[in-house]
Amino acid sequence: MSSIKEDVSHISHGEEGVMKKLDTAHGDEAIRVLAAYDGDQTWTPEEEKKLCRKIDLKLLPVLCVTYAFLYADKVLLGQAALFGIKDDLGLSTGNRFSMASSIFYLGFILGAYPVTVLAQMFPIERVASLAIIVWGTTLIVTPACTNFHGLYAQRFFLGFTEAGISPIFMMIVGGWYKKDEQSLRMGAWYSCTGYVSIFSPLVNYGLGHLEGRLSPWFYMYFFAGALTIICGVVVYFVLPPDPIRAKGFNDRERFIAVSRMKTNNSGVRNTHFKGSQAIELLTDIKFWLIFFYAVCSMFANAPISTFQAIIIDGFGFNPLNSLLLMMPSGFYAGTMMLIMTYLAYKFPGWRSYLIIISQVVTMVASLLLWLLPREELGGLLFACYILTTTGAGYAVSMGLFLANNAGYTKRSLASSGLYIGYSLGNFAGPQVFRTQDSPHYNLGFIVVLITAIVAGLFVFVYRILCSMENRRRDKMGTVEGFEHAYEDDLTDKMNMQFRYSL
């Protein structure tokens, strides 16, 4: 039977039995729920499992569908390239197509922090809904672009509006799930980046063959933009933001949902931005190791998200077969994300090793794509498919990084920082896949190989530092505990009871 009776009493009761003032500026808003509840403060594992299933049913479908749209929109440019967008907008000259892909992530970099700060200050579900609606509107007006300059501007703003969604989702997962549960849930919605690629090529092939006065790729953007706008409206009404404010939970369910999060030592929600936590993040070497891991690992995403259809087309297939041959890649990517995050759930001490294994597979894929003769189509396709393993490692890293940052401001900024690293890698990656290197792209795959090796080394050093810090705290005689999980909004560096996941 679980219990936090003593801790709750410390939070919610003073000498006279009632807490007269709740300090939610320094502490976490979760103390409101704990202070207001006067029922049984213990619960059974079965009761917690039932609640967790209810949370999954309310939260994960929203996150999965939204993230599927987000990734489908990202890869749309590469698929539209097979149906005339390059010729219509002058993207075939020089490195314009690569820049059109990269500039999206420049907007992503500049938009990540502002949207995340807004999501801390205002209701997170409303910020997410507005961002999705604006991104869908930006997507649906893509056909208004008449040249590559207009497309650059559209792609930049599209990245800016999409930037906050992933960090917001990380924060929502961090507020609902315990450390050991987070990786699997993040894997669930992140796997949709793979599974949506099973269906989007078929949909876009059909749309690309609609007859009319408009270019075929116009219909792709109209359809994707309209669905995204609808998704944004739905998110406003159905996204459960956190256990404190979510609808559809009774007092006891809300109490258990909040209470069980004490074991994270990272809080649930605090609307006050704390500059000291931002400074701590920027001076934390562990943050920079994962940041640069994200940068390096995402060089491999360029031949996945933007160039995969073009690379497969370069093997000698027609546009239809090129799109159809992307479908196994999507299935493999989504399944590997689920497998890796499930293993991270079952063996939490192996998370960093799972990320490193993913980078090793990425190295093998890039070697094959670089060195195999063009007539070895089976081997080349196999390499294209397993290259997506880098996404499985990244899915594990999101859960690991979220679990290892405490203090609400620090955790929210860390989530954005991870995606800025992700965006820098995605910005630089397409630049090494140059038009003059088509269809082999030898330079690109050499760079992917080198950056995959470096990314694995960053994660290995990160694990060593976290392990050393855990041992140092053990030797100090401070055991892992959760007394300060809510009332002080302590960071992982300040709270000696905090232990880093490995």
Side-chain angles (χ1 to χ4, degrees), residues 244-310:
I244 301 164
R245 298 182 298 113
K247 298 177 182 179
F249 295 87
N250 60 39
D251 290 345
R252 178 158 180 79
E253 289 173 333
R254 197 179 306 279
F255 171 78
I256 297 173
V258 168
S259 298
R260 74 192 202 98
M261 298 303 294
K262 286 178 71 70
T263 59
N264 286 355
N265 260 328
S266 58
V268 177
R269 178 169 174 79
N270 189 300
T271 59
H272 300 272
F273 183 87
K274 299 175 182 177
S276 61
Q277 293 190 13
I279 294 171
E280 180 180 309
L281 179 71
L282 294 175
T283 56
D284 189 344
I285 187 173
K286 296 189 297 300
F287 165 73
W288 292 110
L289 286 169
I290 293 296
F291 176 87
F292 285 113
Y293 151 76
V295 173
C296 293
S297 67
M298 283 301 113
F299 270 79
N301 204 43
I304 297 170
S305 62
T306 303
F307 286 87
Q308 189 178 57
I310 297 171

Coordinates of all heavy atoms in Angstrom, one line a residue, residues 244-310:
I244 N -3.5 18.9 -11.8 CA -4.1 19.9 -10.9 C -5.4 20.5 -11.5 O -6.4 20.7 -10.9 CB -3.1 21.1 -10.7 CG1 -1.8 20.5 -10.0 CG2 -3.7 22.2 -9.8 CD1 -0.6 21.4 -10.1
R245 N -5.4 20.7 -12.9 CA -6.5 21.4 -13.5 C -7.3 20.5 -14.5 O -8.3 20.9 -15.0 CB -6.0 22.6 -14.3 CG -5.3 23.7 -13.4 CD -4.9 24.9 -14.2 NE -3.9 24.5 -15.2 CZ -4.1 24.5 -16.5 NH1 -5.2 24.9 -17.0 NH2 -3.1 24.2 -17.3
A246 N -6.9 19.3 -14.8 CA -7.6 18.5 -15.8 C -9.0 18.1 -15.3 O -9.2 17.9 -14.1 CB -6.8 17.2 -16.0
K247 N -9.9 18.1 -16.3 CA -11.3 17.7 -16.0 C -11.4 16.2 -16.1 O -10.6 15.5 -16.7 CB -12.2 18.4 -17.0 CG -12.1 20.0 -17.0 CD -13.0 20.6 -18.0 CE -12.9 22.1 -18.0 NZ -13.8 22.7 -19.1
G248 N -12.5 15.7 -15.5 CA -12.8 14.3 -15.6 C -12.2 13.4 -14.5 O -12.3 12.2 -14.6
F249 N -11.7 14.1 -13.5 CA -11.1 13.3 -12.4 C -11.8 13.7 -11.1 O -12.0 14.9 -10.8 CB -9.6 13.5 -12.2 CG -8.8 13.0 -13.4 CD1 -8.6 13.8 -14.5 CD2 -8.2 11.8 -13.4 CE1 -7.9 13.4 -15.6 CE2 -7.5 11.3 -14.5 CZ -7.3 12.1 -15.6
N250 N -12.1 12.8 -10.2 CA -12.7 13.1 -8.9 C -11.6 13.5 -8.0 O -10.4 13.4 -8.3 CB -13.6 12.0 -8.4 CG -12.8 10.7 -8.1 OD1 -11.6 10.7 -7.7 ND2 -13.4 9.6 -8.5
D251 N -12.0 14.0 -6.7 CA -11.0 14.5 -5.8 C -9.9 13.4 -5.4 O -8.8 13.7 -5.3 CB -11.7 15.0 -4.5 CG -12.5 16.2 -4.8 OD1 -12.3 16.9 -5.8 OD2 -13.4 16.6 -3.9
R252 N -10.4 12.2 -5.2 CA -9.4 11.2 -4.8 C -8.5 10.8 -6.0 O -7.2 10.7 -5.8 CB -10.2 9.9 -4.4 CG -9.2 8.8 -4.0 CD -9.8 7.7 -3.1 NE -8.8 6.7 -2.8 CZ -7.8 6.8 -1.9 NH1 -7.7 8.0 -1.3 NH2 -7.0 5.8 -1.7
E253 N -9.0 10.7 -7.2 CA -8.1 10.5 -8.4 C -7.1 11.6 -8.5 O -5.9 11.4 -8.8 CB -8.9 10.3 -9.6 CG -9.7 9.0 -9.7 CD -10.7 9.0 -10.8 OE1 -11.1 10.1 -11.3 OE2 -11.0 7.9 -11.3
R254 N -7.5 12.8 -8.3 CA -6.6 14.0 -8.5 C -5.6 13.9 -7.4 O -4.4 14.2 -7.6 CB -7.4 15.3 -8.4 CG -6.7 16.5 -8.9 CD -7.6 17.7 -8.9 NE -8.9 17.6 -9.5 CZ -9.0 17.7 -10.8 NH1 -8.0 18.0 -11.6 NH2 -10.2 17.5 -11.4
F255 N -6.0 13.6 -6.2 CA -5.0 13.5 -5.1 C -4.0 12.5 -5.3 O -2.8 12.7 -5.1 CB -5.8 13.2 -3.7 CG -4.9 12.8 -2.6 CD1 -4.2 13.9 -1.9 CD2 -4.6 11.5 -2.2 CE1 -3.4 13.6 -0.9 CE2 -3.8 11.2 -1.2 CZ -3.1 12.2 -0.5
I256 N -4.4 11.3 -5.8 CA -3.4 10.2 -6.1 C -2.5 10.6 -7.3 O -1.3 10.4 -7.2 CB -4.1 8.9 -6.4 CG1 -4.9 8.4 -5.2 CG2 -3.1 7.8 -6.8 CD1 -5.8 7.2 -5.5
A257 N -3.1 11.2 -8.3 CA -2.3 11.6 -9.5 C -1.2 12.6 -9.1 O -0.1 12.6 -9.6 CB -3.3 12.3 -10.5
V258 N -1.6 13.6 -8.2 CA -0.6 14.5 -7.7 C 0.4 13.9 -6.7 O 1.6 14.1 -6.8 CB -1.3 15.8 -7.1 CG1 -0.3 16.7 -6.4 CG2 -2.1 16.5 -8.1
S259 N -0.1 13.2 -5.8 CA 0.8 12.6 -4.7 C 1.8 11.7 -5.3 O 3.0 11.7 -4.8 CB -0.1 11.9 -3.7 OG -1.0 12.7 -3.1
R260 N 1.5 10.8 -6.2 CA 2.4 9.9 -6.7 C 3.6 10.5 -7.5 O 4.7 9.9 -7.6 CB 1.7 8.8 -7.6 CG 1.3 9.3 -9.0 CD 0.4 8.4 -9.7 NE 0.4 8.6 -11.1 CZ 1.1 7.8 -12.0 NH1 1.8 6.8 -11.5 NH2 1.2 8.1 -13.2
M261 N 3.4 11.8 -7.9 CA 4.4 12.5 -8.6 C 5.5 13.0 -7.7 O 6.6 13.5 -8.2 CB 3.8 13.7 -9.4 CG 2.8 13.2 -10.5 SD 3.5 12.1 -11.7 CE 4.7 13.2 -12.4
K262 N 5.4 12.9 -6.4 CA 6.4 13.3 -5.5 C 7.7 12.6 -5.7 O 8.8 13.1 -5.6 CB 6.0 13.2 -4.0 CG 5.0 14.2 -3.6 CD 4.5 13.9 -2.1 CE 5.7 14.3 -1.2 NZ 5.9 15.7 -1.1
T263 N 7.6 11.3 -6.2 CA 8.8 10.5 -6.4 C 9.7 11.0 -7.5 O 10.8 10.6 -7.7 CB 8.4 9.0 -6.7 OG1 7.6 9.0 -7.9 CG2 7.6 8.4 -5.5
N264 N 9.2 11.9 -8.4 CA 10.0 12.5 -9.4 C 10.9 13.6 -8.9 O 11.9 13.9 -9.5 CB 9.1 13.2 -10.5 CG 8.4 12.1 -11.4 OD1 8.7 10.9 -11.2 ND2 7.6 12.6 -12.3
N265 N 10.6 14.2 -7.7 CA 11.4 15.3 -7.1 C 11.5 16.4 -8.1 O 12.5 17.1 -8.2 CB 12.8 14.8 -6.7 CG 12.9 14.5 -5.2 OD1 12.2 15.2 -4.4 ND2 13.7 13.6 -4.8
S266 N 10.5 16.7 -8.9 CA 10.6 17.7 -10.0 C 9.4 18.6 -10.1 O 9.3 19.5 -10.9 CB 10.9 17.1 -11.3 OG 9.9 16.2 -11.7
G267 N 8.3 18.4 -9.3 CA 7.1 19.2 -9.3 C 6.2 18.9 -10.4 O 6.5 18.0 -11.3
V268 N 5.0 19.5 -10.4 CA 4.0 19.3 -11.4 C 3.7 20.6 -12.2 O 3.8 20.6 -13.4 CB 2.7 18.9 -10.7 CG1 1.6 18.7 -11.8 CG2 2.9 17.5 -10.0
R269 N 3.6 21.7 -11.5 CA 3.3 23.0 -12.2 C 3.7 24.2 -11.3 O 3.4 24.2 -10.2 CB 1.9 23.1 -12.7 CG 1.6 24.4 -13.4 CD 0.2 24.4 -14.1 NE -0.1 25.7 -14.7 CZ 0.3 26.2 -15.8 NH1 1.2 25.5 -16.5 NH2 -0.1 27.3 -16.3
N270 N 4.4 25.1 -11.9 CA 4.7 26.4 -11.2 C 4.7 27.5 -12.3 O 5.5 27.4 -13.2 CB 6.0 26.3 -10.5 CG 6.2 27.5 -9.6 OD1 6.3 28.7 -10.1 ND2 6.4 27.3 -8.3
T271 N 3.9 28.5 -12.2 CA 3.7 29.5 -13.2 C 4.7 30.7 -13.1 O 4.7 31.6 -13.9 CB 2.3 30.1 -13.2 OG1 2.1 30.7 -11.9 CG2 1.3 29.1 -13.5
H272 N 5.6 30.6 -12.1 CA 6.6 31.7 -11.9 C 7.9 31.4 -12.5 O 8.5 30.4 -12.1 CB 6.7 32.0 -10.4 CG 5.4 32.3 -9.7 ND1 5.0 33.6 -9.6 CD2 4.5 31.6 -9.1 CE1 3.8 33.7 -9.0 NE2 3.5 32.4 -8.7
F273 N 8.3 32.2 -13.4 CA 9.6 32.0 -14.1 C 10.7 32.4 -13.1 O 10.7 33.5 -12.5 CB 9.7 32.8 -15.3 CG 11.0 32.6 -16.1 CD1 11.1 31.6 -17.0 CD2 12.1 33.4 -15.9 CE1 12.3 31.4 -17.8 CE2 13.3 33.3 -16.6 CZ 13.4 32.3 -17.5
K274 N 11.7 31.5 -12.9 CA 12.8 31.7 -12.0 C 14.1 31.8 -12.7 O 14.7 30.8 -13.2 CB 12.8 30.6 -10.9 CG 11.5 30.6 -10.2 CD 11.4 29.4 -9.2 CE 10.0 29.5 -8.5 NZ 9.8 28.3 -7.6
G275 N 14.7 33.0 -12.7 CA 16.0 33.2 -13.4 C 17.1 32.4 -12.9 O 18.0 32.0 -13.7
S276 N 17.1 32.2 -11.6 CA 18.2 31.4 -11.0 C 18.3 30.0 -11.6 O 19.3 29.4 -11.8 CB 18.1 31.3 -9.5 OG 16.9 30.7 -9.1
Q277 N 17.1 29.4 -11.9 CA 17.0 28.1 -12.5 C 17.5 28.1 -13.9 O 18.1 27.1 -14.4 CB 15.6 27.5 -12.4 CG 15.2 27.2 -10.9 CD 13.9 26.4 -10.9 OE1 13.4 25.9 -11.8 NE2 13.3 26.4 -9.7
A278 N 17.2 29.2 -14.6 CA 17.7 29.3 -16.0 C 19.2 29.4 -16.0 O 19.9 28.7 -16.9 CB 17.1 30.5 -16.7
I279 N 19.8 30.1 -15.1 CA 21.3 30.2 -15.0 C 21.9 28.9 -14.7 O 22.9 28.5 -15.2 CB 21.7 31.3 -14.0 CG1 21.2 32.7 -14.5 CG2 23.2 31.3 -13.7 CD1 21.4 33.8 -13.4
E280 N 21.2 28.2 -13.7 CA 21.8 26.9 -13.3 C 21.8 25.9 -14.5 O 22.7 25.2 -14.7 CB 20.9 26.3 -12.2 CG 21.4 24.9 -11.8 CD 20.6 24.3 -10.7 OE1 20.3 25.0 -9.7 OE2 20.1 23.1 -10.8
L281 N 20.7 26.0 -15.4 CA 20.7 25.1 -16.5 C 21.8 25.4 -17.5 O 22.5 24.5 -18.0 CB 19.4 25.3 -17.3 CG 19.2 24.5 -18.5 CD1 19.0 23.0 -18.2 CD2 18.0 24.9 -19.4
L282 N 22.1 26.7 -17.7 CA 23.1 27.1 -18.7 C 24.5 26.8 -18.2 O 25.5 26.7 -19.0 CB 23.0 28.6 -19.0 CG 21.7 29.0 -19.7 CD1 21.6 30.5 -19.9 CD2 21.6 28.3 -21.1
T283 N 24.7 26.6 -16.9 CA 26.0 26.3 -16.3 C 26.1 24.8 -16.0 O 27.1 24.4 -15.4 CB 26.3 27.2 -15.1 OG1 25.2 27.0 -14.1 CG2 26.3 28.6 -15.5
D284 N 25.2 24.0 -16.4 CA 25.2 22.6 -16.1 C 25.8 21.8 -17.3 O 25.2 21.8 -18.4 CB 23.8 22.1 -15.8 CG 23.7 20.7 -15.3 OD1 24.7 20.0 -15.4 OD2 22.6 20.3 -14.7
I285 N 26.9 21.2 -17.1 CA 27.6 20.5 -18.2 C 26.8 19.4 -18.7 O 26.8 19.0 -19.9 CB 29.0 20.0 -17.7 CG1 29.7 19.4 -19.0 CG2 28.9 19.0 -16.6 CD1 31.2 19.1 -18.7
K286 N 25.9 18.8 -17.8 CA 25.1 17.7 -18.3 C 24.1 18.1 -19.3 O 23.7 17.4 -20.3 CB 24.4 17.0 -17.1 CG 25.3 16.4 -16.1 CD 24.6 15.6 -15.0 CE 23.7 16.5 -14.1 NZ 24.4 17.5 -13.4
F287 N 23.6 19.4 -19.2 CA 22.7 19.9 -20.2 C 23.4 20.0 -21.5 O 22.8 19.6 -22.5 CB 22.2 21.3 -19.7 CG 21.5 22.1 -20.8 CD1 20.3 21.7 -21.3 CD2 22.2 23.1 -21.4 CE1 19.7 22.4 -22.4 CE2 21.6 23.9 -22.5 CZ 20.3 23.5 -22.9
W288 N 24.6 20.5 -21.5 CA 25.3 20.7 -22.8 C 25.7 19.4 -23.5 O 25.7 19.3 -24.7 CB 26.5 21.6 -22.6 CG 26.1 23.0 -22.2 CD1 26.2 23.6 -21.0 CD2 25.5 24.0 -23.1 NE1 25.7 24.9 -21.0 CE2 25.2 25.1 -22.3 CE3 25.1 23.9 -24.4 CZ2 24.6 26.3 -22.8 CZ3 24.4 25.1 -24.9 CH2 24.2 26.2 -24.1
L289 N 25.9 18.4 -22.7 CA 26.2 17.1 -23.3 C 25.0 16.5 -24.0 O 25.2 16.1 -25.2 CB 26.7 16.1 -22.2 CG 28.1 16.3 -21.6 CD1 28.3 15.4 -20.4 CD2 29.1 16.0 -22.7
I290 N 23.8 16.6 -23.4 CA 22.7 16.1 -24.1 C 22.3 17.1 -25.3 O 21.8 16.6 -26.3 CB 21.5 15.9 -23.1 CG1 21.8 14.8 -22.2 CG2 20.2 15.6 -23.9 CD1 21.9 13.4 -22.8
F291 N 22.5 18.4 -25.1 CA 22.2 19.3 -26.1 C 23.0 19.0 -27.4 O 22.5 18.9 -28.5 CB 22.6 20.7 -25.6 CG 22.5 21.8 -26.7 CD1 21.2 22.4 -26.9 CD2 23.5 22.2 -27.5 CE1 21.1 23.4 -27.9 CE2 23.4 23.2 -28.4 CZ 22.2 23.8 -28.6
F292 N 24.3 18.7 -27.2 CA 25.2 18.5 -28.4 C 25.0 17.0 -28.9 O 25.2 16.8 -30.1 CB 26.7 18.7 -28.1 CG 27.0 20.2 -28.0 CD1 27.4 20.8 -26.8 CD2 26.9 20.9 -29.2 CE1 27.6 22.2 -26.8 CE2 27.2 22.3 -29.1 CZ 27.6 22.9 -28.0
Y293 N 24.5 16.1 -28.0 CA 24.1 14.8 -28.5 C 22.9 15.0 -29.5 O 22.9 14.4 -30.6 CB 23.6 13.9 -27.4 CG 22.5 12.9 -27.8 CD1 22.9 11.8 -28.6 CD2 21.2 13.2 -27.5 CE1 21.9 11.0 -29.0 CE2 20.2 12.3 -28.0 CZ 20.5 11.2 -28.7 OH 19.5 10.4 -29.2
A294 N 21.9 15.9 -29.2 CA 20.8 16.1 -30.0 C 21.2 16.7 -31.3 O 20.8 16.4 -32.4 CB 19.8 17.0 -29.3
V295 N 22.2 17.7 -31.3 CA 22.7 18.3 -32.5 C 23.3 17.3 -33.4 O 22.9 17.2 -34.6 CB 23.7 19.4 -32.2 CG1 24.4 19.9 -33.5 CG2 23.1 20.5 -31.4
C296 N 24.2 16.4 -32.9 CA 24.9 15.5 -33.7 C 24.0 14.4 -34.2 O 24.1 14.0 -35.4 CB 26.1 14.9 -32.9 SG 27.4 16.1 -32.6
S297 N 23.1 13.8 -33.4 CA 22.3 12.7 -33.8 C 21.3 13.1 -34.9 O 20.9 12.3 -35.7 CB 21.5 12.2 -32.6 OG 20.6 13.1 -32.1
M298 N 20.9 14.4 -34.9 CA 19.9 14.8 -35.9 C 20.4 15.1 -37.3 O 19.7 15.4 -38.2 CB 19.1 16.0 -35.3 CG 18.1 15.6 -34.3 SD 16.9 14.5 -34.9 CE 17.2 13.0 -33.9
F299 N 21.8 15.0 -37.5 CA 22.3 15.1 -38.8 C 21.7 13.9 -39.7 O 21.5 14.0 -40.9 CB 23.8 15.0 -38.8 CG 24.5 16.3 -38.7 CD1 24.6 17.0 -37.5 CD2 25.0 17.0 -39.9 CE1 25.2 18.2 -37.4 CE2 25.6 18.2 -39.8 CZ 25.7 18.8 -38.5
A300 N 21.4 12.8 -39.0 CA 20.9 11.6 -39.7 C 19.4 11.8 -40.1 O 18.9 11.1 -40.9 CB 21.0 10.4 -38.8
N301 N 18.8 12.8 -39.5 CA 17.4 13.1 -39.8 C 17.1 13.7 -41.2 O 16.0 13.6 -41.7 CB 16.7 13.9 -38.7 CG 15.2 13.7 -38.6 OD1 14.7 12.6 -38.7 ND2 14.5 14.8 -38.5
A302 N 18.2 14.4 -41.7 CA 18.0 15.0 -43.0 C 17.7 14.0 -44.1 O 16.7 14.2 -44.9 CB 19.3 15.8 -43.4
P303 N 18.4 12.9 -44.2 CA 18.1 11.9 -45.3 C 16.8 11.1 -44.9 O 16.3 10.3 -45.7 CB 19.3 10.9 -45.3 CG 20.0 11.1 -44.0 CD 19.7 12.5 -43.6
I304 N 16.3 11.3 -43.7 CA 15.0 10.6 -43.3 C 13.8 11.5 -43.6 O 12.9 11.1 -44.4 CB 15.1 10.2 -41.8 CG1 16.2 9.2 -41.5 CG2 13.7 9.6 -41.4 CD1 16.4 9.0 -40.0
S305 N 13.8 12.7 -43.1 CA 12.6 13.5 -43.2 C 12.5 14.3 -44.5 O 11.4 14.4 -45.0 CB 12.6 14.5 -42.0 OG 13.7 15.4 -42.1
T306 N 13.6 14.7 -45.1 CA 13.5 15.6 -46.3 C 13.9 14.9 -47.5 O 13.3 15.0 -48.6 CB 14.3 16.8 -46.1 OG1 13.9 17.5 -44.9 CG2 14.2 17.8 -47.3
F307 N 15.0 14.1 -47.4 CA 15.6 13.5 -48.7 C 15.3 12.1 -48.9 O 15.7 11.5 -49.9 CB 17.1 13.7 -48.6 CG 17.6 15.1 -48.8 CD1 17.7 16.0 -47.7 CD2 17.9 15.6 -50.0 CE1 18.1 17.3 -47.9 CE2 18.3 16.9 -50.2 CZ 18.4 17.8 -49.1
Q308 N 14.6 11.4 -48.0 CA 14.4 10.0 -48.2 C 13.7 9.6 -49.5 O 14.1 8.7 -50.3 CB 13.6 9.4 -47.0 CG 13.6 7.8 -47.1 CD 12.8 7.2 -45.9 OE1 11.7 7.5 -45.7 NE2 13.5 6.4 -45.1
A309 N 12.6 10.3 -49.8 CA 11.9 10.1 -51.1 C 12.8 10.3 -52.3 O 12.8 9.6 -53.3 CB 10.6 10.9 -51.1
I310 N 13.6 11.4 -52.2 CA 14.5 11.8 -53.3 C 15.6 10.7 -53.4 O 16.0 10.3 -54.5 CB 15.1 13.2 -53.1 CG1 13.9 14.2 -53.1 CG2 16.1 13.5 -54.1 CD1 14.3 15.6 -52.7

